[in-house]
Amino acid sequence: MYKMMTPGPTQVKENVRLARAKECGNPDIDESFADFYKETCEKISRLLHTENETLILGGEGILGLEAACASLTEPGDKVLVLDNGIFGEGFADFVSLYGGEPELYTVDGRNPICPQELEAFLKESHDYKYATLVHCDTPSGILNDIGVLCPILKKYGILTVVDAVSSMFGEEVRVDDSGIDILCGGSQKAVSAPPGLTFVTLSAEAKDAMARRKTPVASFYANLRLFEGYYEAKWFPYTMPISDIYGLRAAIDNIAADPDMLPRHARIAGECRKSLTEAGLKLYLESGFSNTVTVFDVPEGTTAQEILETMRSEHGILLAGSLGSLAGKVIRIGHMGSNANEEDMAETMEALWKTLQKLGVELKR
Ligand SMILES: *Cc1c(COP(=O)(O)O)cnc(C)c1O
């Protein structure tokens, strides 16, 4: 096996793996499962500083994003899609799929979305049912300030859908203070459980908007309304992946028991950026660095593939390239969740220097 230093999936601790191996009950018939599920949801809400209800869905992070769009969008709805990265832009596809009319608000991908510019835009144009935005757009590592951007959108009566899959628990997310109507998370990033689960946190306003729909949601699996009253009825729309949820619960308990989680992410990310720049490498972003992932340009004279292969075969460390227009141009170090520990980072940086030297890259240190 190799050491995972990728920006998701991340390393999964032994207690999470063991929790998944527990004997399974029948989550459809055993009513105590509804309590376990609800308690786990409430623990997630608490970590996100919200009174809003969280739902765990049986599907990977993408299901959360799609379910948010499927459940809110009616044919003809105008949706503002804030885009300074690949996941940001990708929301437009979900909006279109469910009959909405996405309008892209596209800005430079090397800096976070500027609140003043967004506000100036909204002054002229704010007739949108909801807006989508990404907290950390993982392919570039850009971090948008949702705590400032969402309140601006709300001021114009626009509901907010936030993808925080790769930021939550590595960066602070305060749902109630920020006015986030639907927040989407996933099990395999800073949560450090295996891939397979997503969770969505829903405001009363988001639930209202769904209840006021004139047309049915054009999906069964992605329809968040199906969970209404699940606890009272002890009924789920589909059989819940009980072992995955046991694992998620252990991972959430790990986070709740770790007061150093956010400071450690900040420390490790800061050190990572500093060592890369001191070595003469170039960070991809100009500003807005997420503390969960660091992205640097592939230096002259070598390729992303050579770096990734050497890291893996000679040092047993898995790093990631990127997607879309960034494929082949950058390398990503994922220091989120269980990956974010000093020993693994030191080993990764040491291996990276050796790898780059071997590939003929001259380093300043
Ligand atoms: C990982 C991730 C998702 C989930 O997508 P996958 O590529 O299927 O893992 C969604 N949004 C963001 C920002 C992510 O980093």
Side-chain angles (χ1 to χ4, degrees), residues 82-84 105 107 111-115 118 133-134 142-145 149:
L82 304 189
D83 158 33
N84 61 342
Y105 175 89
V107 294
N111 294 287
I113 295 163
C114 169
L118 177 68
L133 60 163
V134 180
I142 192 102
L143 187 78
N144 289 308
D145 191 350
L149 296 169

Side-chain angles (χ1 to χ4, degrees), residues 69-351:
C69 295
S71 303
L72 283 179
T73 314
E74 289 196 80
D77 281 344
K78 282 181 68 186
V79 179
L80 186 64
V81 175
L82 304 189
D83 158 33
N84 61 342
I86 290 169
F87 282 97
E89 183 186 11
F91 263 117
D93 293 336
F94 293 128
V95 173
S96 305
L97 264 176
Y98 291 94
E101 291 174 14
E103 187 178 323
L104 281 165
Y105 175 89
T106 302
V107 294
D108 151 45
R110 287 179 200 258
N111 294 287
I113 295 163
C114 169
Q116 290 77 25
E117 283 171 20
L118 177 68
E119 173 119 44
F121 169 85
L122 290 172
K123 262 191 194 132
E124 303 300 318
S125 171
H126 47 256
D127 182 20
Y128 306 101
K129 180 173 189 177
Y130 68 95
T132 62
L133 60 163
V134 180
H135 193 198
C136 168
D137 211 311
T138 331
S140 67
I142 192 102
L143 187 78
N144 289 308
D145 191 350
I146 52 174
V148 174
L149 296 169
C150 292
I152 296 174
L153 291 157
K154 295 293 287 179
K155 201 169 88 185
Y156 288 90
I158 301 167
L159 293 169
T160 54
V161 172
V162 173
D163 172 352
V165 173
S166 71
S167 58
M168 65 167 61
F169 311 128
E171 289 279 351
E172 182 152 70
V173 177
R174 304 191 74 92
V175 170
D176 288 353
D177 293 349
S178 308
I180 300 168
D181 291 298
I182 304 187
L183 180 82
C184 306
S187 55
Q188 82 275 32
K189 304 285 168 77
V191 173
S192 289
L197 292 177
T198 184
F199 29 93
V200 291
T201 300
L202 303 172
S203 73
E205 265 186 87
K207 289 183 183 178
D208 261 12
M210 291 175 200
R212 279 189 276 106
R213 292 178 63 107
K214 296 187 187 72
T215 55
V217 174
S219 170
F220 181 86
Y221 218 68
N223 180 359
L224 296 172
R225 293 205 65 197
L226 294 179
F227 283 80
E228 263 170 42
Y230 79 85
Y231 182 69
E232 292 69 26
K234 313 283 183 222
W235 178 87
F236 292 94
Y238 43 86
T239 303
M240 284 287 126
I242 183 166
S243 300
D244 290 349
I245 295 175
Y246 285 156
L248 178 69
R249 171 64 163 265
I252 292 294
D253 285 341
N254 286 345
I255 294 169
D258 181 1
D260 193 35
M261 186 85 182
L262 293 176
R264 187 172 61 250
H265 277 77
R267 226 163 40 232
I268 284 178
E271 282 161 14
C272 180
R273 295 191 290 264
K274 185 160 171 275
S275 348
L276 291 172
T277 27
E278 280 177 0
L281 295 164
K282 192 173 162 297
L283 300 177
Y284 173 74
L285 298 175
E286 288 167 3
S287 65
F289 303 96
S290 171
N291 287 331
T292 54
V293 53
T294 294
V295 184
F296 65 93
D297 292 352
V298 172
E300 297 264 329
T302 181
T303 64
Q305 205 189 349
E306 280 180 323
I307 297 172
L308 297 174
E309 274 178 14
T310 310
M311 283 294 287
R312 182 169 169 178
S313 62
E314 293 185 15
H315 302 281
I317 293 175
L318 195 69
L319 297 182
S322 194
L323 323 169
S325 59
L326 291 181
K329 297 195 177 136
V330 298
I331 299 289
R332 296 185 295 161
I333 305 174
H335 36 70
M336 57 176 79
S338 306
N339 299 10
N341 69 79
E342 269 87 4
E343 302 74 56
D344 286 342
M345 274 308 285
E347 190 185 327
T348 300
M349 298 313 277
E350 206 45 52

